[in-house]
Amino acid sequence: MSAIYISGGKPLNGSVRVQGAKNSVLPILAATILSGEPCVIRNCPNLLDVGTSVRILQHLGCKAAYKDGVVTVDTAGMNRYDVPEDLMREMRSSVVFLGAILSRTGEAVMSYPGGCDLGSRPIDLHISSLKQMGADIREEGGFLICKAHRFTGCDICLPIPSVGATENIMLAAALARGTTRIFNAAHEPEIGDLQAFLNAMGGKVSGAGSSTVVIEGVRRLNGTEHQVIPDRIAAATLLTAVASAGGEIELTKARPDDLAILLSVLNEAGCTIQTDGTVIHAKRDGQLKPMGRVQTMPHPGFPTDAQALLMAVACRAEGVTVFCETIFDGRYRHVGELLRMGADIQVVERVAVVKGVKRLTGARVCSTDLRGGAALAVAALAAEGETALSGLNHIDRGYERFEENLASLGADIKRK
């Protein structure tokens, strides 16, 4: 079993380009199904999840290929409406194909999605929303058997601002009869990227980034080209890496506004943060300070995907940082691995109290999920001795050239 070996204690210095956003690419690839014409998606990171999405499209009868950061898709030959169970289990975002497949073919068969184990993450909101638009969905032997003639637009009020449910509704509504309004919609930047893609195909979507997204159904959508936005969590990973290891780095092709709250917290921790257009400069050369209370919230609040990353930084801060996880009930699985490295963390239900320690020590640790695995690498950059990080399939689902990027900044990191 391969592992990443990290010898800590080396400050990071240099410049790295931020990869394209994983959480934008996946719904956009699902959206290509709606056009039936060729689409070209640029700035796509080379990730396991992107590969899984391409294989789903190929299974459905579409032509899809990845090369040098570009996915080319032609869905004209789509002749299936089922998604194999093994592909569904590989990633959580596979459920976003449901709305697009139903809209295109009127039928869909798929199992429940997989991905990182972050506790209870039901897809009830996806199902109930599509039912409101006219879908007939029933469960049979662990599979969802779905049918829908052309969807009908309606008003849908989400009880929580679910990103996945917002995206699935947008995909189902793009070709629906009439107008669909999503109230309490997710605000994440990736919602705006999906809106931009649908509109480039000839859709009529507005309101992304606000609590109300409006989709006026159209008769058809055409093929198009699109450039995916930068990945804010990949950027957050590099920023927390330099906060942990010390040094000075520059991130290019970034969107600082998408990271505003994280940049504020890192500044509170003693980092020097400067932004200039699409460039972020981050420096840390003094003692890390505690960050008070960090509570995860839907965007524009502190992102749950960055919670583990910041916790790795807090492990070496001079004082106490309190984390409150409000999004997922299983998002502290990385804590046990950080304890192996000498961290001082107490968890009670959804609250984690982190007392900074003078030193972390390298250990054999395992990725428990995508962001938890990255957080262990962030902690290892500041640890004494060598850390062996296994469970790399999680990291490879969401990070392109993970160890190469850190090595280019001066980290002593190798995969073998």
Side-chain angles (χ1 to χ4, degrees):
M1 182 172 64
S2 63
I4 290 176
Y5 294 84
I6 303 169
S7 293
K10 294 183 178 294
L12 305 183
N13 290 279
S15 179
V16 173
R17 180 182 183 274
V18 179
Q19 70 181 53
K22 174 184 88 81
N23 291 337
S24 274
V25 174
L26 307 183
I28 285 172
L29 289 179
T32 63
I33 289 172
L34 301 173
S35 75
E37 295 181 3
C39 293
V40 178
I41 316 301
R42 306 188 186 279
N43 198 33
C44 292
N46 187 10
L47 311 174
L48 289 182
D49 276 8
V50 172
T52 298
S53 294
V54 167
R55 284 186 289 142
I56 289 174
L57 289 168
Q58 291 170 339
H59 173 83
L60 293 171
C62 309
K63 294 178 181 178
Y66 177 95
K67 184 178 180 181
D68 298 332
V70 179
V71 177
T72 54
V73 184
D74 186 348
T75 65
M78 181 174 170
N79 55 15
R80 302 186 65 140
Y81 53 81
D82 63 305
V83 180
E85 186 175 11
D86 60 330
L87 295 180
M88 287 295 297
R89 288 185 176 275
E90 286 186 22
M91 66 176 189
R92 169 72 181 178
S93 297
S94 54
V95 72
V96 83
F97 278 86
L98 179 57
I101 294 173
L102 267 176
S103 184
R104 171 76 181 266
T105 69
E107 296 184 85
V109 177
M110 57 179 61
S111 66
Y112 284 87
C116 294
D117 183 7
L118 302 177
S120 176
R121 294 198 289 172
I123 61 170
D124 299 9
L125 296 184
H126 301 248
I127 294 172
S128 63
S129 298
L130 295 179
K131 282 183 174 180
Q132 289 180 63
M133 299 178 68
D136 175 31
I137 302 176
R138 56 190 172 85
E139 183 179 347
E140 194 173 284
F143 285 81
L144 297 173
I145 312 300
C146 315
K147 295 194 176 191
H149 297 296
R150 189 180 179 193
F151 283 115
T152 301
C154 63
D155 288 350
I156 299 174
C157 184
L158 297 175
I160 59 173
S162 164
V163 174
T166 299
E167 291 168 342
N168 238 332
I169 297 166
M170 291 169 68
L171 295 177
L175 294 174
R177 296 187 191 92
T179 298
T180 301
R181 295 187 297 175
I182 310 171
F183 297 105
N184 198 27
H187 292 207
E188 273 69 6
E190 294 79 17
I191 301 295
D193 208 19
L194 179 58
Q195 172 179 287
F197 181 68
L198 289 171
N199 288 343
M201 288 199 295
K204 294 183 179 180
V205 187
S206 60
S210 73
S211 296
T212 304
V213 175
V214 179
I215 309 101
E216 298 178 47
V218 297
R219 291 296 303 177
R220 64 181 299 275
L221 294 170
N222 50 265
T224 191
E225 297 192 13
H226 182 76
Q227 178 98 355
V228 174
I229 63 172
D231 193 313
R232 59 196 171 98
I233 306 302
T237 303
L238 293 166
L239 291 167
T240 52
V242 73
S244 178
E248 183 174 3
I249 67 169
E250 174 187 83
L251 302 186
T252 63
K253 302 296 183 183
R255 296 215 313 184
D257 288 350
D258 293 346
L259 293 156
I261 192 164
L262 175 68
L263 298 182
S264 175
V265 174
L266 289 176
N267 185 67
E268 182 182 348
C271 299
T272 301
I273 307 292
Q274 296 179 323
T275 63
D276 182 10
T278 60
V279 177
I280 302 174
H281 299 270
K283 179 180 180 180
R284 202 274 289 174
D285 56 7
Q287 175 63 44
L288 285 165
K289 302 173 185 176
M291 291 150 273
R293 179 183 174 89
V294 178
Q295 179 168 309
T296 63
M297 295 289 287
H299 192 80
F302 191 88
T304 181
D305 278 353
Q307 174 256 107
L309 300 167
L310 192 65
M311 186 179 291
V313 176
C315 287
R316 290 277 288 111
E318 204 170 50
V320 176
T321 304
V322 178
F323 290 85
C324 183
E325 174 58 54
T326 69
I327 308 298
F328 296 124
D329 56 13
R331 197 113 213 196
Y332 288 140
R333 299 181 189 276
H334 55 282
V335 168
E337 301 302 291
L338 288 173
L339 294 177
R340 290 175 182 269
M341 302 174 70
D344 184 348
I345 307 171
Q346 297 290 327
V347 176
V348 179
E349 296 181 348
R350 290 184 178 238
V351 176
V353 180
V354 183
K355 296 180 181 178
V357 296
K358 292 184 181 293
R359 62 194 289 263
L360 294 173
T361 305
R364 299 191 69 84
V365 294
C366 183
S367 299
T368 55
D369 57 81
L370 170 55
R371 307 307 175 184
L376 296 175
V378 168
L381 293 170
E384 297 179 9
E386 184 178 75
T387 297
L389 173 59
S390 58
L392 304 186
N393 60 305
H394 289 299
I395 287 175
D396 292 341
R397 284 186 45 240
Y399 292 98
E400 181 178 56
R401 302 180 68 248
F402 182 77
E403 64 271 22
E404 290 94 332
N405 281 335
L406 289 171
S408 74
L409 296 173
D412 186 346
I413 179 171
K414 299 181 182 66
R415 181 184 297 226
K416 53 187 177 180

